[in-house]
Each structure stands twice: as structure tokens, then as C-alpha cells.
Amino acid sequence: MTIITPVDQVSPGKLREVTIAKTLTSTRRISIKNPFRPVVALDIDGVMADFNAAMKPFSNVKDTEESCPHSYNFVESKWFNTFDDFERAHVTVMDSAGDIPLNDDTASEAVSMLQHEGCEVIAVTARREAWRKETLRFFQVNGIPITSERLFFMDKSNKSDMHFDYLIDDAPKNIVDALENTNSMPFVYAQPYNAHLPVTRVGSMMDFANAVIDHRKSLLSA
């Protein structure tokens, strides 16, 4: 499903994302390099891991009913007063990243299904390499079959550098990056802070896996 938010309802930063995404979605050519074994890139925080729930106890909204920032920027959303406040909480949470709650209970089955269908599944995260061990513990605790050699940390690089064919991500900047710099097929994992993006949205990892498999099969049967 494609959603286009009226431009008078978004901030200047979001307006830029809407404009780029709308233009590129209608003009770019999707090119899957190897439909027999496509590379499928999975984001972690905000998709598989409930980063918002982990951060909330350290935030300004810890005693409220609010469960998700209205913007991808935690300071802009008033969850934290400054970036330094956010960073301190971020480090604390990531030092025990294996304990972050699961965000999507279809993740394990979806990853297994993609692998069974012949996809090369990788996790591509903006986390730092220092949190590799804790990230792998999160996968193990939740039965998500992603091993260390399939886990990539992009804290100082663009995710598009991984040359994936399909991507699921909740961060608007990563979706725009994929649209601008790859011929891939990106999917937005639906969150309130990315509702403005006119890109195909999914509500679960299983929805994403099914969409990828259906698209791949359409290419193989063409």
C-alpha cells in the first residue's frame, strides 16, 4: 500500500523526503541483480527490536502513555532534551542490547522463510561494531537465524553501500538513501514517524517476506 501525506502536514525536512521519494518511486528502475539469490537487507532497531520501548525508561516521556516518537529524531520529538542526553541513554541501552524487547513476533519465521526460499539475508544496522556480541545475543534469544558473518554495522557508512536487492527499514533517511543510490526495492516498516513517505509500507516482517518472495517469483516466471 502506498501512502502520500499531504505536503502541508509535514515539516521542511519531511517535505524533502516526500519530494525525493515521490519522484524516484515513479521514475527509477528496479533491477534485481540475481533473482535466484537476491540479497535481502533487514534493519534491526524499529523493525526487529523495539528500540522505542528500550529507550522510554530513560526519556522525558517515561511516565506517559506515549510509546513512539512523532519524529525519527528523539530530541525533536522531546523524548530527550539534548543529543548528549539521548546518547547517554543510547549507550546504556545498547550495552545490554540482547535484552531489548522484540518488536515483531513474526521476525524469526520471516527470516527463516526468506532463507528457505534462497534469499541471502543480512542484517544491516546503524549500531556500532562494539555492540556485535549483544546484537547476536538478541538474535539468539529471539530465535532469529542471523549469524555474525551476516551482520553488518554501518554507523559510519550508508546502508546502500551493501548493494542489497530488497530492504526493510523504518528510518526515512535510509529509505531515501536506497532510492537515490540503488536500484533496489525498499519497503518501509510502518511507524508513525515515517508515515509521510510515499513508499510501499508493511506492518510486519512476515508481510515483507511474502512481498519479497512474490516479487522474486514474478521475476523468475517472466
Side-chain angles (χ1 to χ4, degrees):
M1 178 175 64
T2 299
I3 297 176
I4 300 178
T5 303
V7 295
D8 60 352
Q9 296 180 20
V10 301
S11 66
K14 288 183 177 181
L15 177 58
R16 175 183 177 277
E17 293 169 347
V18 169
T19 302
I20 293 174
K22 185 176 180 180
T23 300
L24 292 177
T25 299
S26 62
T27 61
R28 65 195 288 273
R29 181 175 64 89
I30 296 172
S31 177
I32 306 303
K33 295 181 288 295
N34 180 7
F36 291 97
R37 189 165 175 77
V39 178
V40 181
L42 314 176
D43 182 36
I44 299 176
D45 296 307
V47 176
M48 290 186 279
D50 194 345
F51 184 66
N52 296 328
M55 292 291 284
K56 184 176 177 178
F58 303 95
S59 74
N60 295 330
V61 301
K62 62 183 178 182
D63 297 321
T64 73
E65 301 264 329
E66 188 171 345
S67 61
C68 184
H70 65 79
S71 167
Y72 191 73
N73 185 313
F74 278 81
V75 176
E76 183 179 293
S77 294
K78 308 300 182 185
W79 274 45
F80 295 93
N81 295 326
T82 67
F83 178 78
D84 287 341
D85 292 339
F86 163 80
E87 180 64 9
R88 281 190 289 271
H90 180 223
V91 170
T92 299
V93 166
M94 286 299 161
D95 282 346
S96 299
D99 299 324
I100 295 177
L102 185 67
N103 184 62
D104 189 320
D105 60 10
T106 72
S108 178
E109 184 180 358
V111 173
S112 295
M113 189 167 71
L114 286 165
Q115 292 173 337
H116 178 74
E117 290 289 329
C119 300
E120 181 180 348
V121 180
I122 60 176
V124 185
T125 178
R127 294 181 180 185
R128 299 164 197 164
E129 175 70 36
W131 293 314
R132 176 176 291 274
K133 182 178 179 180
E134 281 296 314
T135 301
L136 290 170
R137 185 164 72 87
F138 170 81
F139 292 147
Q140 183 178 26
V141 166
N142 292 289
I144 300 172
I146 296 176
T147 54
S148 186
E149 63 270 19
R150 298 297 179 193
L151 173 59
F152 299 91
F153 294 84
M154 311 297 290
D155 58 312
K156 295 181 180 179
S157 305
N158 290 326
K159 289 190 176 185
S160 59
D161 293 342
M162 294 305 302
H163 306 294
F164 44 75
D165 295 300
Y166 301 95
L167 168 72
I168 183 169
D169 209 301
D170 67 310
K173 63 184 179 63
N174 292 329
I175 297 298
V176 171
D177 171 50
L179 290 172
E180 287 186 304
N181 298 301
T182 77
N183 291 321
S184 67
M185 190 171 183
F187 291 76
V188 177
Y189 190 95
Q191 295 280 15
Y193 46 76
N194 59 37
H196 61 290
L197 284 179
V199 179
T200 303
R201 305 169 65 77
V202 292
S204 73
M205 287 284 292
M206 186 56 68
D207 290 344
F208 169 69
N210 284 325
V212 168
I213 291 168
D214 287 347
H215 185 261
R216 172 177 173 266
K217 287 180 177 177
S218 72
L219 295 176
L220 293 174
S221 63

